[in-house]
Amino acid sequence: SSNDSVDGFDVDAEYYNDDDVIFVEIVTNPSYGQEILQELIGELNEVIRHELEHIKQHQQGYNFPKKEPKSPEKYYTQQHELEAQRAGFKRRSKGEKLDYETLVRKWFDDNQHKHRMNKDQAERVIQKILQEK
């Protein structure tokens, strides 16, 4: 869909295990035209790889929590989310030949409207993403 208030584009994806479906929503600002395509492709690579990691986790019998934490920081620091974030960010970093940490930090800077964390909370999440387990 399109929305004039979006800065370039916004992509969101979610894996529905019961239906075995990845739902992807792309909202673009029509005034940006073709100039956002390259970055949009990078974002799609990232979110699809992130969701594919969740599929892999389900197939391996990962024990997901029954309900999502209310706190964004707790949500983003769950083990299954950290693994999926790392997988998505690594894919995008490799595809765009961008430094991994730079890419992670850019995502958290650009997507405050999604993660809804202040700088300190986001930094704690970033540090956990950057620590390989």
Side-chain angles (χ1 to χ4, degrees):
S1 66
S2 66
N3 183 331
D4 290 336
S5 67
V6 172
D7 185 19
F9 64 85
D10 199 17
V11 175
D12 213 355
E14 196 162 346
Y15 172 56
Y16 294 96
N17 184 46
D18 294 343
D19 299 323
D20 209 19
V21 166
I22 296 175
F23 175 78
V24 180
E25 180 180 28
I26 303 169
V27 179
T28 59
N29 185 324
S31 65
Y32 280 77
Q34 301 290 312
E35 66 198 64
I36 61 169
L37 282 181
Q38 203 59 41
E39 194 174 348
L40 176 58
I41 290 166
E43 184 86 7
L44 284 169
N45 267 312
E46 177 193 316
V47 298
I48 296 298
R49 180 61 187 91
H50 178 117
E51 297 307 327
L52 288 172
E53 188 67 17
H54 286 321
I55 291 173
K56 186 170 116 185
Q57 292 165 338
H58 277 282
Q59 290 172 342
Q60 293 173 342
Y62 191 95
N63 191 15
F64 288 87
K66 299 283 180 251
K67 58 180 189 168
E68 285 186 5
K70 292 197 184 337
S71 148
E73 184 177 353
K74 282 196 173 110
Y75 172 82
Y76 280 93
T77 56
Q78 296 172 99
Q79 191 56 40
H80 67 280
E81 269 307 308
L82 288 170
E83 291 170 8
Q85 290 170 65
R86 288 178 188 129
F89 290 139
K90 282 179 184 171
R91 171 72 182 92
R92 187 169 183 180
S93 168
K94 195 174 176 181
E96 295 182 22
K97 295 174 179 59
L98 251 178
D99 174 71
Y100 179 69
E101 181 174 349
T102 303
L103 184 113
V104 170
R105 290 186 178 283
K106 180 178 176 351
W107 189 89
F108 278 90
D109 283 347
D110 292 348
N111 290 282
Q112 206 279 330
H113 66 287
K114 280 186 191 169
H115 61 70
R116 302 178 326 279
M117 291 182 286
N118 65 36
K119 289 266 186 222
D120 290 341
Q121 293 167 320
E123 183 59 32
R124 287 192 293 269
V125 173
I126 289 166
Q127 289 304 318
K128 288 196 173 179
I129 291 169
L130 296 177
Q131 291 171 2
E132 285 298 317
K133 295 272 182 219

